[in-house]
Amino acid sequence: MVAPYLAALAQELQLVTAAMPQRRALAQLHLGGGTPNYLNDAEMATLWSLIEQHFDLAPQLEASIELNPELVSRDQAMELHRLGFNRISFGIQDADPEVQKAVNRVVPVDQLCRVMAWLREADFDSINVDLICGLPLQTISRFQATLDLVCKLGADRISMFSFAYLPEQLPLQRKIEAADLPSPRERLAMLQVARDQFCANGYEAIALDHYALRGDSLAEAARAGTLHRNFQGYTTGGDLDLLGVGPTAISQFPGLFSQNHRDLKAYYYQALGSGCLPTERGLVVDDPDLLERRSLIKQVMCQFQVDLPLHRYPQEWLDLQALARDGLVNLRESKGIGTASVTPEGRWLLRSIAAVLDPLQRQQARGSRLI
């Protein structure tokens, strides 16, 4: 399976670089998709070589890769670092055995500890772990054990995501009983416990769902007000073009989004087999109002605060007043400018606050009505 896939990536990279007016430099590299360490050492070296053929790697390249901890070995950790990767991310999700069984992802705690020890031995610059709140059979007491483990492991960054229960879209989730999921209030309680514990152990809360040690570049960007968020999450590379390669990959350029084919047959045969870029769909964004709203939403998502000219955003200001009554934002006015600052309670519903600035989202449930 891997050899044809690498051949397809090679063909896509050739098509992409042929369409570029000049050779581009690579400042950040992320190899994701869940289990890229399914590739063995030789296959990973081939992929790295393909990237080097088509791009100039920056001297301070941030090269990250997602790992499945079930598949990691000490030798693989060492080889990834030797190859050039300097940032690692792996998913813990939840360390409780019963919760792991419920989501069919069983990784014993001792394996997670071994993986972290190997990654530290390999001397990666930064290690991120992913957690998920709201999984079936999760309780505050069970989740507390996971939090204790994460603090013991001492990752540089922590990503805390909420479980999206979408059985109608994801067939594997149909095995999960809705009654086994924690309630929204229990989720919020777990998120708050996590925040309190991480902040008490040297981490800074980074916007919506990330934590980082104070010396980490993500924490520094948050303090400096240069944090950026795209569809992948929070990043320090806000001024960079984002090029996605592979099935389902999303690219983002100034004024343009595009996504590759999600269906493998369409990716392999309909597009690449015909010598065409495997782009399935795209969106050109050049409306000044839309671009301004995107900038305002970014302020909410990255800085927990936004300034609005009141004569131009009267309805949004009224909606924010409703959120203020729910205790999610604090408001003040000065010389025709309204400033909304997200409260600590409002951070858990940050997307709902940002949605006020999206005309298509304003009519949806707001604030505490979502709990």
Side-chain angles (χ1 to χ4, degrees):
M1 295 173 62
V2 175
Y5 180 64
L6 290 177
L9 291 182
Q11 185 177 358
E12 183 181 356
L13 283 168
Q14 288 177 345
L15 291 169
V16 167
T17 53
M20 291 179 179
Q22 62 186 30
R23 186 177 173 90
R24 300 293 298 273
L26 202 61
Q28 293 182 337
L29 167 68
H30 177 68
L31 194 59
T35 56
N37 59 319
Y38 178 81
L39 276 63
N40 62 34
D41 291 349
E43 293 161 345
M44 191 68 73
T46 297
L47 180 54
W48 187 276
S49 178
L50 283 173
I51 296 169
E52 285 185 312
Q53 289 175 30
H54 294 280
F55 299 95
D56 295 327
L57 305 188
Q60 302 300 320
L61 173 69
E62 289 188 11
S64 65
I65 181 172
E66 293 181 36
L67 302 180
N68 181 344
E70 299 174 79
L71 305 177
V72 178
S73 67
R74 179 182 180 277
D75 289 345
Q76 184 183 63
M78 299 299 170
E79 177 60 19
L80 289 173
H81 187 268
R82 186 203 65 78
L83 201 57
F85 289 100
N86 47 32
R87 294 182 178 272
I88 294 288
S89 179
F90 70 95
I92 293 179
Q93 324 307 11
D94 191 292
D96 183 87
E98 295 304 315
V99 177
Q100 289 185 352
K101 290 178 184 177
V103 295
N104 195 32
R105 185 186 173 94
V106 178
V107 185
V109 168
D110 57 352
Q111 170 67 1
L112 295 172
C113 292
R114 282 195 297 269
V115 169
M116 181 60 82
W118 292 332
L119 298 178
R120 290 300 186 197
E121 183 183 355
D123 198 28
F124 288 96
D125 294 344
S126 178
I127 301 173
N128 174 85
V129 298
D130 293 340
L131 301 179
I132 297 182
C133 179
L135 292 171
L137 303 184
Q138 254 182 355
T139 63
I140 292 178
S141 60
R142 283 178 168 172
F143 198 52
Q144 183 66 62
T146 298
L147 300 178
D148 292 341
L149 172 66
V150 171
C151 290
K152 175 185 174 183
L153 294 177
D156 302 279
R157 297 179 182 178
I158 302 166
S159 300
M160 174 76 74
F161 302 113
S162 288
F163 179 61
Y165 182 56
L166 302 169
E168 67 282 356
Q169 298 179 30
L170 303 173
L172 288 176
Q173 289 190 359
R174 293 170 191 167
K175 299 179 181 179
I176 297 174
E177 297 291 339
D180 289 336
L181 299 174
S183 70
R185 289 190 181 277
E186 289 171 323
R187 280 197 191 202
L188 285 178
M190 285 188 277
L191 288 170
Q192 187 62 55
V193 167
R195 178 185 175 86
D196 293 344
Q197 183 154 345
F198 291 148
C199 291
N201 282 271
Y203 292 93
E204 295 186 5
I206 308 298
L208 177 65
D209 44 24
H210 285 53
Y211 298 86
L213 293 175
R214 182 170 181 79
D216 187 89
S217 59
L218 204 64
E220 293 173 348
R223 289 195 300 272
T226 59
L227 196 65
H228 179 74
R229 184 175 177 88
N230 57 31
F231 60 88
Q232 286 188 310
Y234 289 99
T235 175
T236 58
D239 58 342
L240 301 176
D241 291 338
L242 179 60
L243 173 66
V245 178
T248 78
I250 297 174
S251 298
Q252 180 178 346
F253 302 95
L256 172 68
F257 291 87
S258 66
Q259 182 174 26
N260 281 356
H261 282 289
R262 292 162 289 177
D263 180 78
L264 276 177
K265 290 183 179 179
Y267 175 79
Y268 278 128
Y269 306 117
Q270 294 178 22
L272 295 177
S274 302
C276 299
L277 285 168
T279 305
E280 178 183 15
R281 56 182 178 169
L283 177 66
V284 175
V285 183
D286 55 10
D287 183 289
D289 178 67
L290 197 59
L291 292 171
E292 181 178 56
R293 287 177 180 273
R294 180 193 292 180
S295 176
L296 295 173
I297 289 172
K298 176 186 172 183
Q299 291 179 38
V300 175
M301 299 296 290
C302 295
Q303 300 168 23
F304 299 132
Q305 183 171 300
V306 64
D307 295 326
L308 297 177
L310 296 179
H311 69 286
R312 295 183 53 213
Y313 293 95
Q315 182 59 53
E316 288 78 2
W317 191 245
L318 285 175
D319 291 343
L320 287 169
Q321 289 175 17
L323 294 180
R325 291 192 291 272
D326 285 339
L328 303 182
V329 294
N330 293 322
L331 304 180
R332 67 177 185 272
E333 299 181 31
S334 177
K335 299 179 180 179
I337 300 296
T339 298
S341 302
V342 180
T343 65
E345 294 78 11
R347 292 192 180 196
W348 305 126
L349 295 171
L350 197 58
R351 288 187 178 90
S352 300
I353 297 170
V356 167
L357 298 162
D358 184 339
L360 298 178
Q361 298 292 324
R362 278 207 308 267
Q363 302 305 315
Q364 296 189 10
R366 64 172 174 83
S368 61
R369 312 297 186 265
L370 293 174
I371 301 174

